[in-house]
Amino acid sequence: MNNYRSGFVTLLGRPNVGKSTLINKLIGEKITITSPIAQTTRKNLKGILTTKNGQIIFVDTPGVHKPHHRLGEILVKNAKAAINGVDIVIFVLDSSKEPGRGDKYIKDFLAASQTEFIVALNKWDLVEKEFKELRLEQYRSFFGNNKNFLIVSAFEGEGCSQLLDIVFTFLPEGPKLYCEDTICDQPLDNLLSDLIREQVLINTREEVPHSVAVKIEKIEEIKRKNGKNFTAILATIIVERSTQKGILIGKKGSMLKIIGQSARSNMSKLIDDPVHLELFVKVVPNWRKKESRLLEFGYEEDF
Ligand code: GDP
Ligand code: MG
C-alpha cells in the first residue's frame, strides 16, 4: 500500500476563471461561493478533501488583479501570501479565452517567486470543437513547449480526477491534518454570510457590485414540541449607498425575497436543517475603506 500523503494546494488565477467552482467540484461539496461576477471570493478559504490515499487542503484565493481600494489590496496580498509554503500551486486559466495580460502577470509572478505550479485550463466545455486545437496552440506558446497542462471543466468534471492524481504526486508523506469529516476551515457564520453574498451578486449582477458585505447577527437552533426543529438566522446586508439599498430590497421587497429564498435553500443544504432566514439591509458609507469596518465584516489580512 502507498504511504499516506497530505499537504496544501493553492489555486491561483485571474478573477472569474473558475477557481472556486473547481474546488467545489474536486471536494464534491459546495463550500466556496461562485458567481459570474469577478471578485466573488474574498478570503483564502480552505477546502479539505480526504481520500484513502491522502488529504489535500485546497486554498481558494480571490483572483489576482490590480488593487483599486483597501479591500482590493487585502485581497491581492492574501492571494500572494497563500502561495507561501504550500506544496503545489494550481494556476487556473479560462480556456474559453486566449491567454491575456492578467494571466501573464500571474505567470511572471510565479516565475519570479520560483513557485512550482500545475496549469489547469478550465472551462474547456466552452471551447467550440473547431477552436480546440488553436486554443491549445495558444496556451502552448504562452507557457512554452516544455510545460504540461491539464484540460479541465469544473462544470462537467472533465480532467478533475487526473488533476487530483497529479496533485498527490507533489504532496509529501504525512498524516491527516484535519479530521476526516472536516471539509472547510471557516467558521459557520462565514460560510452562511457568503451564501447570502453569493445570491446578492447573482441576482443584482452589475448593479450592486463589490460594495456588499453580510453580517450574520444571530444563529439560533429553535426546538419545537412537534419535533420540527429549525435554525433561525438573522443577517444584515451592508451596502455603501442608499440607491444600492433600494435595488437590494426591490419593488415591495421582491428582490430581497428572491435573495433570501435562494440563500435559505443553500443554507439548509449546508447545515442539513430547515432554515428560517431574516434579512435586513443597512447603508454604511465607504465601509471598504475603513479598517474597523473591514474587521467587523470579517476581512483581515491572513498572515
Ligand atoms: P473564481 O473567481 O475564479 O473563483 O471563479 P468562479 O468559480 O466564481 O466562477 C466564475 C464563473 O465561471 C461562474 O459563473 C462559474 O459558474 C463559471 N465556471 C466555472 N468553471 C466553469 C467551467 O468549467 N465551465 C463553465 N462553462 N463555466 C464555469
Ligand atoms: Mg472564487
Side-chain angles (χ1 to χ4, degrees):
M1 200 188 89
N2 280 341
N3 290 328
Y4 207 79
R5 291 167 182 266
S6 61
F8 290 81
V9 178
T10 290
L11 280 84
L12 208 65
R14 277 189 300 111
N16 237 20
V17 294
K19 299 176 292 296
S20 301
T21 312
L22 190 55
I23 291 189
N24 287 337
K25 188 75 187 180
L26 294 171
I27 291 183
E29 289 261 2
K30 181 175 171 56
I31 51 155
T32 172
I33 65 166
T34 64
S35 90
I37 316 293
Q39 295 177 51
T40 299
T41 307
R42 284 183 179 164
K43 292 171 198 233
N44 292 338
L45 170 149
K46 296 188 186 75
I48 299 139
L49 174 71
T50 308
T51 75
K52 60 181 187 341
N53 300 323
Q55 189 172 61
I56 308 177
I57 296 126
F58 293 102
V59 184
D60 191 12
T61 61
V64 176
H65 64 99
K66 270 196 163 158
H68 296 297
H69 45 69
R70 181 80 185 113
L71 175 61
E73 271 174 42
I74 293 180
L75 298 185
V76 177
K77 254 183 159 175
N78 283 348
K80 290 182 174 175
I83 68 167
N84 260 339
V86 296
D87 297 295
I88 187 72
V89 168
I90 304 178
F91 181 7
V92 185
L93 300 101
D94 178 350
S95 68
S96 70
K97 302 189 176 111
E98 300 172 25
R101 273 200 310 178
D103 300 314
K104 180 154 188 323
Y105 174 78
I106 296 168
K107 187 181 74 166
D108 293 345
F109 165 73
L110 288 170
S113 55
Q114 297 187 324
T115 308
E116 209 173 352
F117 63 94
I118 306 170
V119 176
L121 294 187
N122 189 33
K123 305 199 189 182
W124 192 244
D125 57 293
L126 289 181
V127 186
E128 290 182 35
K129 237 184 173 162
E130 61 264 40
F131 290 119
K132 287 195 193 267
E133 199 40 51
L134 170 71
R135 201 37 56 82
L136 282 180
E137 255 328 299
Q138 290 168 331
Y139 278 96
R140 267 185 216 121
S141 74
F142 179 71
F143 281 110
N145 275 334
N146 52 357
K147 183 84 192 167
N148 289 327
F149 43 77
L150 267 172
I151 285 158
V152 300
S153 165
F155 261 24
E156 297 180 344
E158 182 184 0
C160 287
S161 67
Q162 290 92 319
L163 182 59
L164 288 179
D165 289 345
I166 295 179
V167 165
F168 270 122
T169 66
F170 285 94
L171 302 188
E173 284 180 17
K176 288 188 188 111
L177 301 168
Y178 287 85
C179 72
E180 210 144 305
D181 48 7
T182 310
I183 54 163
C184 185
D185 71 323
Q186 294 284 317
L188 183 63
D189 53 344
N190 283 2
L191 296 181
L192 294 174
S193 70
D194 255 5
L195 288 176
I196 297 172
R197 201 164 57 82
E198 176 178 49
Q199 291 309 321
V200 172
L201 292 176
I202 288 173
N203 288 293
T204 63
R205 306 295 295 235
E206 310 294 330
E207 295 157 280
V208 182
H210 306 297
S211 38
V212 124
V214 176
K215 193 174 171 201
I216 301 290
E217 314 279 357
K218 202 161 98 178
I219 305 174
E220 196 178 354
E221 177 73 43
I222 308 286
K223 299 223 183 299
R224 290 199 297 197
K225 279 206 188 95
N226 60 10
K228 291 188 175 161
N229 301 343
F230 62 91
T231 303
I233 297 172
L234 183 66
T236 311
I237 303 176
I238 295 110
V239 288
E240 291 188 319
R241 287 193 294 276
S242 57
T243 49
Q244 295 168 334
K245 180 172 173 177
I247 293 170
L248 267 186
I249 291 175
K251 248 194 191 133
K252 294 189 183 150
S254 55
M255 177 57 92
L256 201 59
K257 197 168 163 196
I258 293 170
I259 291 168
Q261 279 169 346
S262 309
R264 183 170 60 80
S265 146
N266 286 334
M267 287 170 160
S268 284
K269 282 183 211 146
L270 182 74
I271 64 177
D272 218 0
D273 198 36
V275 166
H276 285 206
L277 173 63
E278 214 177 329
L279 285 177
F280 295 94
V281 184
K282 191 172 145 188
V283 179
V284 178
N286 291 324
W287 69 264
R288 284 180 297 172
K289 299 201 182 92
K290 293 175 184 159
E291 202 78 39
S292 63
R293 290 297 193 174
L294 284 168
L295 282 176
E296 182 185 347
F297 303 147
Y299 300 106
E300 51 192 297
E301 296 185 6
D302 281 348
F303 48 94

